[in-house]
Amino acid sequence: MAKALYLLNDAEWRRIEPLLPRGRRGARRVDDRRVISGIVYMLRSGGRWRDCPAGYGPYTTIYNRYNRWSRQGIWHDIFKALTGHSGIFGTVAIDSTHVKAHRSAAGAKGGTSQGIGRSRPRVLLLTAGNVNDITVAADLVRAIGPFRRLIADRGYDADHLRHLIKGRKAEPVIPSTTSRRSPIPYDKRAYKQRNRVERMWCRLKDWRRIATRYDKLARNYLSAAFIAAAVTYWLN
């Protein structure tokens, strides 16, 4: 008996369907639900695009939709719409993780601009693995929106980041590095919540195309992270 295809369930589809682009010129798109489900399946399984189950349609259709909407920023727009928040977050946390790039991810035009090396994917930002966490922390903080408290490990202990957080009328919950002569007090009880962001990375890495980067283009890999995060956390 043939194995049933994975499809986004009704609840998931009700969340994502209104966010899809409408009224575009060109040929009518084939079944959006089937194609997007095929993309999700391939990102989870980590298989080659040409090995996509035929039930989702031609693998070229599946990949082309993934690639084209990545180029057009649609996956990011969908993720942003799902995670939109107009109020103030109580507690937020930032962290990074390293991802191994498969040999097939090399060779894209743009060289180091594609974030190859010891890639460090983020839900919103992607850098090469030899970029220090603190160098992109300010961009992460600015992208978060209003918040009251920010949790990060001691790798983010820098005066300029602390000043940025306080300038937003928020509390930094960051342990001091051992190089500080006078350690800065922090809320140790609140800091215990930092494990949430670590658990988030673990869940995202259940998706094989997140755990290992196969995509040559940085934008496509980042789009995979947007899709994985949206399906894992925001569609239900």
Side-chain angles (χ1 to χ4, degrees):
M1 181 181 294
K3 183 178 179 180
L5 288 179
Y6 160 82
L7 290 174
L8 292 166
N9 64 40
D10 292 342
E12 293 170 334
W13 187 243
R14 281 194 296 269
R15 293 293 311 280
I16 196 174
E17 196 271 340
L19 304 176
L20 303 183
R22 302 294 181 194
R24 297 196 163 203
R25 294 181 179 179
R28 182 179 179 276
R29 294 199 306 262
V30 296
D31 188 342
D32 284 329
R33 187 172 184 175
R34 186 190 67 191
V35 171
I36 295 174
S37 296
I39 292 170
V40 170
Y41 173 84
M42 294 306 295
L43 296 181
R44 277 179 170 161
S45 70
R48 300 181 305 167
W49 291 103
R50 66 175 57 252
D51 294 331
C52 181
Y56 291 116
Y59 81 88
T60 51
T61 299
I62 307 302
Y63 174 76
N64 288 340
R65 177 79 64 88
Y66 168 66
N67 180 55
R68 184 172 64 254
W69 282 14
S70 174
R71 184 177 65 249
Q72 296 170 349
I74 292 173
W75 299 119
H76 174 259
D77 291 344
I78 291 173
F79 176 76
K80 187 176 180 181
L82 287 170
T83 60
H85 184 76
S86 58
I88 299 177
F89 291 101
T91 298
V92 299
I94 61 175
D95 200 3
S96 65
T97 188
H98 284 80
V99 168
K100 180 180 178 181
H102 192 272
R103 63 182 180 83
S104 64
K109 294 181 180 179
T112 57
S113 66
Q114 296 301 334
I116 289 287
R118 291 166 293 176
S119 295
R120 181 173 301 170
R122 308 170 196 278
V123 173
L124 292 176
L125 297 177
L126 177 66
T127 72
N130 56 358
V131 174
N132 193 283
D133 295 356
I134 195 64
T135 62
V136 294
D139 291 334
L140 281 171
V141 170
R142 295 188 185 99
I144 291 169
F147 59 90
R148 295 192 177 94
R149 175 192 291 152
L150 185 141
I151 301 173
D153 64 31
R154 56 173 41 92
Y156 295 91
D157 177 25
D159 290 338
H160 70 83
L161 180 60
R162 291 179 181 275
H163 292 326
L164 175 62
I165 296 170
K166 290 179 179 178
R168 296 169 68 96
K169 295 181 172 55
E171 173 194 2
V173 181
I174 305 173
S176 298
T177 60
T178 56
S179 61
R180 277 196 185 271
R181 293 185 178 180
S182 300
I184 300 173
Y186 67 98
D187 188 334
K188 295 183 178 180
R189 183 175 181 179
Y191 186 72
K192 292 181 179 180
Q193 298 181 49
R194 198 182 73 84
N195 68 83
R196 294 182 179 180
V197 72
E198 294 175 338
R199 295 201 304 268
M200 178 202 75
W201 285 125
C202 288
R203 287 195 67 189
L204 290 181
K205 286 185 175 182
D206 285 340
W207 294 56
R208 295 186 66 183
R209 277 186 171 266
I210 302 301
T212 300
R213 174 177 167 180
Y214 297 95
D215 293 288
K216 290 182 172 65
L217 298 179
R219 69 158 193 258
N220 283 12
Y221 181 74
L222 190 56
S223 291
F226 289 141
I227 295 168
V231 173
T232 302
Y233 292 103
W234 296 100
L235 288 188
N236 294 306

